Every structure is written in structure tokens, then in C-alpha cells.
Amino acid sequence: MVTTTSTTDPRYRANSGEGYDGVARLSINGHSGSGALLYDGRALLTAAHLFDGVSGRVQVRFDTPSGSSTQEAGRVLIHPDYNSDQGNNDLALVWLEQAPADADRYNLYRDADELGQAFSLVGYGATGSGSSGASSQTGSIVRYRAENRFEAEGDELKTQMGAGMSWSPTPGSQLLADFDDGSAAHDALGRLMGLNDLGLGLAEGLIAQGDSGGPALLGGQILGIATYTASLSRAGVNPDIDQYSNSSFGELAAWQRASHYQQWIDQSLRSQYNEAPTSPAEVIKALAEGDVGTQLVFFLLQFSGVRSQPEAIVSVDYASRDGSAQAGSDYIAVSGRLNLYPGENQAVIPVEVIGDTLAEPDETFYLDVFNPVGGSFGPGVVKLTAMRTLLDDDGWLA
């Protein structure tokens, strides 16, 4: 992470307990990058280019309030249309056996209003200051954060730059931010596209080597995944402070837009839920909590209506709610939006149950489903609620 001033400034540390503990460090045969833990606690979203030309085991390190832990990842899925030459579809999913219970889980940002929004960029990248750029070409073992603002889409920049930009982003798929120092001279998107914005002051930063795959976060949701940086000029206009491609002031960066890829991400995760119910008769409503780690319990949502258009997405919002079971100690709280994509009439919402060895009574928690879009729950019904029971398996005697 290259920041406005030195990364020794504590404002740039992404400390444990501040909402960044789901950002992990990935290492593959001497190469490193970053990734973000998704809402089911079983997969990381990262950049596909981390796996270009390398092979070997993927090691994933989490830094959480309980300490640092490293585990070997399982399956890696590269987006089927990934194109390294164009920087398109630069996404990958990395599956874990399970993540630490105290690591943050992130939902996807699902709306298309990201432009103009300030966000946090987080990762384990090379460090440096905006005036001199990244000090090395290797990542860090420390997690850093900075702020920036999305100002344009990648294809919009290509339209302005023409042949001055050698790659062609897929329309609507990439979000751009530049690295401002408060001067018009180094406002890259201002000078190249007329999008004048002098930045966020000392909070501002830009991704560097090792931050690839790291998230752009807003309110605990992933807006994008870091993919590349660029130093661009046109017709004698060069906003880069030093003319080198090193993440310095006057450069820009791109993130793969999560909202653009949400169907691929959601459906890829669902394809791995081998124990998920496919009918109401298969739903497990009570399960033993286990002794260690986490396990998934599923809530099944079905749509029996008719879409207004075949390509329409039906969605609901959802949120877990404590009963006698407590979020954080008995299960991991969830909230978000579930989409049923064209061709889908049902899907599951997974919730992680936390194992322990405490003797305690059986406990319950709830999942509320509300705000249906593209369908309804029936006349006068605004919310649906289901309950799950966690069975104690540690010798409680009442």
C-alpha cells in the first residue's frame, strides 16, 4: 500500500478488530497477494492474475484478534473468461476448509452506484509514499489500509484515451480511482477525463505489488477487487509525479467490480454446498454444534411465482437474530441480500455454527427474510422467519 505519507503513520495500519480481519495474505510459490473472505466463511475472493505462471500450494494467512494463523487452501477457481492481456475478468475464488471464527466476513456490494463513493483499500502490498512510489516490488507481511474514491469506469477511460491505452476493459466491469496529492497537476482522471477531484488528503493511497486481490470495502461490503495500476499520458498531458509506474501520485488503479460479477460469485459458492438441502424435506432444523471450528447450517428459500421478465432477478434481504443462541459465540451473524438469478427458483442462505466444549442447554437462533423484490410473500406478509436449534453435545444435564 502506497500512502500519502509514510506507512509508519499509524493511520494506515489495518489493525485487528477494526473490520479488516477478513483480508488475508495469499502466498503461492514465493509470490504473494491479498484476498477477502466472503460471506459464507469458506471462500476468498481474489485476483486471477496471482496464479499466472505459478504453481504450488496456496497458503492463506489471517491476522485476527486471536492471533495469526496460516492454512493451506483447497480448490482454486479462475473466472472462465479471465484475460490477462486485457485485465478483464481478473477474479478467482479460493476455498478453505474453514476460516477463523473471528475473521470478518464480507458481503458483495450489489448496487451499481459505486462512482463517487469513498472506500477503504486494504492489502498486504509493498509500501511507500505518494511522492516516491512503492519502495520495492514485493509484498508486505503487514496489513495496511488507505482511502480513495471511485471516479470512472475502465471502459470510459478507454473511450477517452483511445490508442493511448493499450488494453480494453469490458464495459461496466472495472472501477477506477487515481492517487491525488491535492494538486490539479497530479489529478490523473481530472487531466485525462475532466473528472476533477483533488483527493481525500492524508487518508488517500493506492495499491501496489502484493495488494492485488485485496478488496475495496465500504460498510463491510466488497465494492471491487484490486487488479492493476497504470501511469498514463495523452497529448503531452502526463499527471504522474515521476513518470514511472510505481503507484506514485498521478497514477491510477483498477478494481474488478463486484456488482458486475455477483452472479458468477454467488453461483460458484452455491455449487460447493454439497450438503445443502434442495427441498423442504431435506432441511435440517436442528444440529449438533460440534466441539471446534465452524460448520454450516442452511436456510432454503424458494420462489414459486412468475417473473415479469425471464431475465429478472428476484431478491430478498435477510438477517440473523439471536434467540437463546448468541451471535459471536454460538453462531456467526449474517445479513445481506440473496439473489435468485434467471433460471433459479431456489437457493440457500448458509450460517456458520461455532463449535465449543461447554456443557450448555440446547440453543436457538432465527433468520428473518424481508424486502422481497420481484415477488412477494403473500397478502399482508412483510417478513418470513425460520428457526434453527443448536444441540449441545457436551453433556448438559437439566
Side-chain angles (χ1 to χ4, degrees):
M1 190 73 59
V2 176
T3 50
T4 297
T5 61
S6 170
T7 48
T8 58
D9 187 326
R11 81 180 70 213
Y12 303 123
R13 291 293 293 267
N15 297 311
S16 290
E18 296 180 344
Y20 308 115
D21 296 331
V23 181
R25 184 178 190 270
L26 282 68
S27 56
I28 313 105
N29 197 22
H31 299 266
S32 68
S34 305
L37 184 63
L38 289 170
Y39 50 83
D40 67 351
R42 294 298 186 268
L44 292 162
L45 184 61
T46 187
H49 76 258
L50 296 181
F51 305 94
D52 283 350
V54 298
S55 61
R57 298 175 177 177
V58 180
Q59 300 294 322
V60 179
R61 169 181 153 173
F62 287 94
D63 296 305
T64 70
S66 62
S68 298
S69 62
T70 300
Q71 60 179 284
E72 185 175 315
R75 182 179 182 228
V76 175
L77 177 66
I78 305 296
H79 191 285
D81 297 321
Y82 168 53
N83 184 322
S84 60
D85 293 335
Q86 299 298 320
N88 285 324
N89 310 306
D90 185 13
L91 289 176
L93 289 164
V94 177
W95 272 272
L96 309 171
E97 182 66 27
Q98 55 186 263
D102 58 348
D104 294 293
R105 277 79 168 147
Y106 303 117
N107 287 313
L108 303 177
Y109 191 87
R110 298 186 180 276
D111 297 321
D113 59 354
E114 303 96 336
L115 297 186
Q117 303 233 39
F119 63 91
S120 296
L121 47 151
V122 190
Y124 287 83
T127 59
S129 66
S131 58
S132 57
S135 59
S136 73
Q137 292 299 308
T138 59
S140 170
I141 61 172
V142 177
R143 187 174 58 210
Y144 291 100
R145 61 171 295 274
E147 305 295 316
N148 212 307
R149 190 192 322 274
F150 287 130
E151 298 180 52
E153 297 178 8
D155 56 300
E156 295 174 337
L157 178 62
K158 175 64 176 178
T159 298
Q160 293 284 330
M161 296 293 296
M165 181 171 157
S166 62
W167 65 99
S168 299
T170 299
S173 70
Q174 296 178 14
L175 297 167
L176 304 181
D178 61 13
F179 196 5
D180 294 297
D181 64 358
S183 72
H186 302 135
D187 178 11
L189 293 172
R191 300 192 68 191
L192 298 174
M193 296 184 68
L195 301 174
N196 301 312
D197 184 336
L198 300 185
L200 301 174
L202 292 177
E204 187 138 318
L206 202 70
I207 58 172
Q209 185 77 24
D211 290 314
S212 291
L217 295 174
L218 176 65
Q221 297 179 320
I222 301 171
L223 285 82
I225 292 294
T227 184
Y228 62 80
T229 60
S231 175
L232 295 175
S233 61
R234 182 182 64 173
V237 174
N238 192 336
D240 193 342
I241 195 172
D242 61 8
Q243 321 307 312
Y244 299 106
S245 183
N246 58 0
S247 300
S248 59
F249 289 135
E251 296 186 28
L252 58 85
W255 283 257
Q256 302 292 318
R257 190 179 201 162
S259 64
H260 182 83
Y261 291 101
Q262 58 184 305
Q263 181 171 350
W264 176 76
I265 297 167
D266 286 337
Q267 292 182 333
S268 295
L269 296 186
R270 292 171 192 172
S271 72
Q272 299 302 301
Y273 298 149
N274 298 322
E275 298 180 357
T278 59
S279 69
E282 296 176 356
V283 173
I284 297 174
K285 298 182 179 180
L287 78 162
E289 63 183 2
D291 292 336
V292 296
T294 64
Q295 58 178 314
L296 295 179
V297 62
F298 297 98
F299 294 81
L300 177 65
L301 181 79
Q302 294 183 314
F303 174 66
S304 58
V306 177
R307 286 173 163 86
S308 58
Q309 297 292 331
E311 68 276 10
I313 295 174
V314 176
S315 71
V316 295
D317 294 336
Y318 62 88
S320 58
R321 176 166 51 89
D322 286 353
S324 53
Q326 301 294 303
S329 57
D330 298 309
Y331 72 98
I332 296 177
V334 298
S335 64
R337 183 188 305 168
L338 176 76
N339 286 342
L340 294 179
Y341 297 100
E344 289 184 327
N345 288 316
Q346 65 179 36
V348 294
I349 299 169
V351 179
E352 295 173 90
V353 175
I354 302 171
D356 62 43
T357 56
L358 298 174
E360 55 191 348
D362 298 342
E363 299 170 309
T364 59
F365 72 96
Y366 303 92
L367 187 81
D368 297 324
V369 176
F370 49 94
N371 191 29
V373 176
S376 70
F377 299 144
V381 180
V382 297
K383 181 173 70 174
L384 301 177
T385 298
M387 184 180 76
R388 294 294 179 265
T389 300
L390 308 182
L391 303 174
D392 179 68
D393 52 5
D394 300 304
W396 172 262
L397 179 63

